[in-house]
Amino acid sequence: MPRALITGITGQDGLYLSELLLAKGYEVHGVIRGQNNPKRELVQQVVPDVVLHNGDLTDLSSLLRAMAVADPDEVYNLGAVSFVAYSWENARVTTEVTGNGVLNALEAVRLHSGRDLGRIRFYQASSSEMFGKVQEVPQRETTLLWPRSPYGVAKVYGHYMTINYRESYGMHASSGILFNHESPRRGPEFVTRKVSMGVAAISLGLQESLTMGNLDAQRDWGFAGDYVEGMWRMLQQPEGGDYVLSTGETHSIRELLDVAFARVGIDDWSGLVEQDPRFMRPAEVDLLVGDASKAREVLGWEPKVGFRELVEMMVDSDVARLRDGLAR
Ligand code: NDP
Ligand code: GDR
């Protein structure tokens, strides 16, 4: 039975990846931080077979302890401070977790591997935010990086550190440059979920309006369930590598609002959405759209869920959740 260790187990991707690996017959271990993490219960409910280890990406010895017990064949480093807007206010913490945390994860793998440095396969959750002020459209593995936030800068560090460990030690280390991926499990701070929750609440008369930031930014949004499959495929290759995962389509926040409101029968949302500078960023990433040709050709990976289906899935899920709550 292959064994996997996942950091960021309580996050959106951690849950989807756990489900995927368990279905494939893996023994799955997860690193969870904090003495009383409020999401522990959620993990135990969704994926009860996952073995949890206390640990933190800023604490190398805690990662080594988890490695010693799990003795994994594959390590997926999904843990991060992942909210871009927060990263300006907490740049140092973001650097420590999202940046230096990758070094700790790589070191834990290297030290635990002993002499056989190719034994454990490593996945790093890199991001399209590394492209920032984009130097090429669409963006691919070779596009020049130009991050626009402390989060983006920290991810660039983690990306190059992963490549460096591959080149220095011959480790099987891969970097997945993933474009935005969403789901009903997406954190409420991110724009798609903020919109799906807000639209659901407005449609049920529980909320009057939605307060947003920049409506003109464009993103390449896919479904998280499709993207974790791509992560796994990267680690099944004979060698580590860098791969973009994206849909190749881009949509603005306005289009997101169009589809979400239309799903609950509202065609004109202009009076229901306000803009507030509080939600604008010091530097914006205006346009992201990825070219996933390499993943398609080498990994045989393709996203299955399109933009409209994704947004409708999220709105439907939030409407059902709120209705359930009202019925109780
Ligand atoms: P989430 O924000 O949902 O999850 C982040 C996870 O990191 C949580 O489990 C969180 O734990 C954990 N974490 C935070 N700080 C630490 C720490 N100090 N030590 C250990 N774990 C920590 O992110 P996603 O699931 O959406 O994303 C997974 C990864 O992929 C992240 O690295 C993200 O930056 C990256 N990524 C995501 C994309 C997306 O569109 N979703 C696109 C590209 C990259 P806790 O619950 O305790 O806070
Ligand atoms: P992003 O995701 O920054 O792309 O990072 P987010 O959903 O936070 O923002 C997307 C775009 O929407 C605009 N926006 C708003 N965003 C939020 N959160 N709230 C608002 O009210 C709002 N109004 C407009 C933003 O300005 C931005 O342009 C996500 C994270 O998952 C990262 O961890 C990951 O690396 C990248 O995706 C790829």
Side-chain angles (χ1 to χ4, degrees):
M1 192 190 256
R3 288 182 300 274
L5 177 69
I6 302 173
T7 70
I9 193 82
T10 59
Q12 169 189 258
D13 291 6
L15 291 177
Y16 281 106
L17 182 63
S18 297
E19 286 174 334
L20 178 87
L21 296 179
L22 288 168
K24 288 186 185 297
Y26 278 68
E27 181 180 303
V28 179
H29 296 254
V31 173
I32 187 163
R33 72 181 172 128
Q35 61 186 39
N36 185 19
N37 193 309
K39 293 197 206 141
R40 180 182 286 266
E41 227 173 279
L42 173 74
V43 177
Q44 285 167 341
Q45 199 186 328
V46 178
V47 278
D49 291 336
V50 169
V51 183
L52 291 174
H53 304 269
N54 292 317
D56 195 298
L57 280 165
T58 60
D59 181 346
L60 174 59
S61 62
S62 74
L63 300 179
L64 282 169
R65 269 199 297 274
M67 292 288 291
V69 181
D71 192 24
D73 304 293
E74 297 175 5
V75 171
Y76 294 85
N77 185 37
L78 308 185
V81 171
S82 79
F83 187 34
V84 174
Y86 177 87
S87 77
W88 276 278
E89 290 159 1
N90 293 268
R92 193 62 194 250
V93 174
T94 306
T95 303
E96 281 309 318
V97 180
T98 307
N100 287 329
V102 184
L103 177 58
N104 282 340
L106 285 161
E107 270 298 273
V109 171
R110 187 180 71 84
L111 292 169
H112 183 76
S113 298
R115 289 199 179 162
D116 185 4
L117 283 168
R119 177 165 77 89
I120 302 173
R121 299 181 172 201
F122 180 83
Y123 174 85
Q124 167 56 18
S126 288
S127 164
S128 53
E129 277 296 300
M130 301 190 304
F131 297 123
K133 187 174 166 189
V134 299
Q135 301 297 299
E136 186 178 24
V137 179
Q139 297 84 50
R140 45 197 172 142
E141 292 79 6
T142 50
T143 301
L144 181 71
L145 305 178
W146 196 303
R148 294 271 278 174
S149 63
Y151 169 83
V153 173
K155 281 289 181 190
V156 170
Y157 173 85
H159 176 66
Y160 281 121
M161 201 49 94
T162 302
I163 294 170
N164 185 258
Y165 268 59
R166 183 165 75 221
E167 294 180 353
S168 304
Y169 303 115
M171 274 170 53
H172 192 298
S174 288
S175 175
I177 307 173
L178 271 53
F179 282 63
N180 300 55
H181 46 278
E182 321 290 315
S183 73
R185 289 177 180 156
R186 187 59 145 147
E189 65 273 39
F190 301 98
V191 75
T192 52
R193 188 73 198 290
K194 180 173 172 178
V195 167
S196 68
M197 287 171 73
V199 165
I202 290 170
S203 76
L204 296 172
L206 300 170
Q207 189 174 315
E208 283 184 0
S209 62
L210 199 47
T211 308
M212 305 286 303
N214 174 15
L215 303 185
D216 297 316
Q218 290 173 270
R219 289 289 183 276
D220 180 330
W221 280 296
F223 171 54
D226 290 342
Y227 285 51
V228 298
E229 166 82 28
M231 295 175 187
W232 175 77
R233 287 188 185 212
M234 287 177 213
L235 297 207
Q236 310 318 306
Q237 299 308 304
E239 285 175 4
D242 308 323
Y243 298 91
V244 160
L245 298 186
S246 65
T247 70
E249 258 187 47
T250 192
H251 298 276
S252 66
I253 313 298
R254 282 179 207 283
E255 290 173 78
L256 166 67
L257 288 163
D258 283 342
V259 176
F261 274 109
R263 186 63 172 173
V264 296
I266 300 172
D267 290 326
D268 178 9
W269 47 263
S270 52
L272 298 170
V273 175
E274 292 156 16
Q275 275 182 285
D276 188 323
R278 245 181 340 127
F279 295 109
M280 307 284 186
R281 298 177 179 183
E284 181 60 281
V285 171
D286 296 318
L287 166 74
L288 289 175
V289 58
D291 174 357
S293 307
K294 182 179 173 190
R296 202 166 44 243
E297 282 153 25
V298 181
L299 308 177
W301 177 85
E302 263 188 90
K304 298 190 184 82
V305 178
F307 173 67
R308 176 173 298 275
E309 194 184 339
L310 170 67
V311 178
E312 292 180 348
M313 174 206 301
M314 293 177 70
V315 172
D316 290 354
S317 159
D318 279 319
V319 169
R321 192 178 47 81
L322 288 179
R323 278 220 178 99
D324 256 19
L326 288 174
R328 275 197 204 135

